[in-house]
């Protein structure tokens, strides 16, 4: 993957902002949260809802029904004044069990005789889901938007839990 380059884990970009791009398939997340509040329980592994199935089945060609959020963080506000990729991995690894969305993956029924199912993934690969990349020099907003567009235009791997996080460095 050309966008995934080896960079110094200490953070070569000094005091520049660190960006997190979070891509996931939330599908009917708002409806799901509403159900959890009203009925007092959340659905775990099992069949996806009809709305979720609709979003999955309507993906065609380069039309993907996933969302993304971009956050800009100032590394000088970190406890030691910098953010390391291994610290980000460690943080997300410690929080992985707090939300089932990060451990569920999608399984489809042969010949689409039924809706797809969510099943628990016992050991998701954090280094696959959380990736570290850098913008090319000079790292301006245009390059950032091009990189975000490239990342968001790719489908999520349905054989793994449906989320990705990109730690992007190099924005001036």
């Amino acid at each position: 993957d050309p966008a995934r380059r080896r960079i110094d884990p200490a953070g070569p970009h000094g005091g520049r902002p660190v960006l997190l791009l979070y891509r996931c398939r939330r599908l009917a997340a708002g409806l799901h949260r509403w159900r959890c509040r009203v009925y007092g329980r959340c659905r775990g592994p099992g069949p996806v809802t009809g709305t979720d199935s609709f979003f999955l089945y309507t993906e065609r060609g380069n039309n993907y029904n996933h969302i993304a959020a971009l956050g800009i963080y100032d590394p000088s506000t970190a406890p030691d004044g910098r953010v390391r990729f291994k610290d980000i991995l460690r943080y997300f690894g410690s929080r992985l069990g707090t939300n089932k969305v990060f451990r569920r993956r999608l399984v489809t029924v042969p010949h689409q005789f039924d809706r797809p199912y969510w099943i628990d993934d016992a050991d998701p690969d954090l280094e696959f889901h959380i990736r570290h990349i850098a913008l090319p020099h000079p790292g301006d907003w245009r390059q950032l938007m091009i990189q975000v567009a490239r990342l968001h235009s790719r489908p999520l791997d349905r054989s793994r839990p449906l989320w990705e996080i990109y730690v992007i460095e190099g924005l001036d």
Side-chain angles (χ1 to χ4, degrees), residues 25 27 54-66 155-156 158:
R25 176 167 327 279
L27 302 174
F54 171 77
F55 281 105
L56 290 168
Y57 292 138
T58 57
E59 284 192 343
R60 296 279 187 265
N62 62 353
N63 180 22
Y64 306 113
N65 295 323
H66 55 253
L156 293 168
R158 288 190 180 186

Side-chain angles (χ1 to χ4, degrees), residues 114-164:
D114 196 6
R115 294 179 184 164
Y117 281 77
W118 293 116
I119 62 168
D120 286 329
D121 189 350
D123 190 29
D125 181 10
L126 274 183
E127 292 191 13
F128 172 82
H129 290 285
I130 303 173
R131 300 172 185 188
H132 196 190
I133 60 176
L135 295 174
H137 187 71
D140 58 11
W141 279 102
R142 182 178 178 277
Q143 290 171 328
L144 173 64
M145 294 300 113
I146 289 170
Q147 184 65 35
V148 168
R150 282 184 189 144
L151 295 171
H152 195 59
S153 67
R154 298 182 335 192
L156 293 168
D157 183 357
R158 288 190 180 186
S159 67
R160 298 174 181 262
L162 296 173
W163 62 274
E164 293 177 348

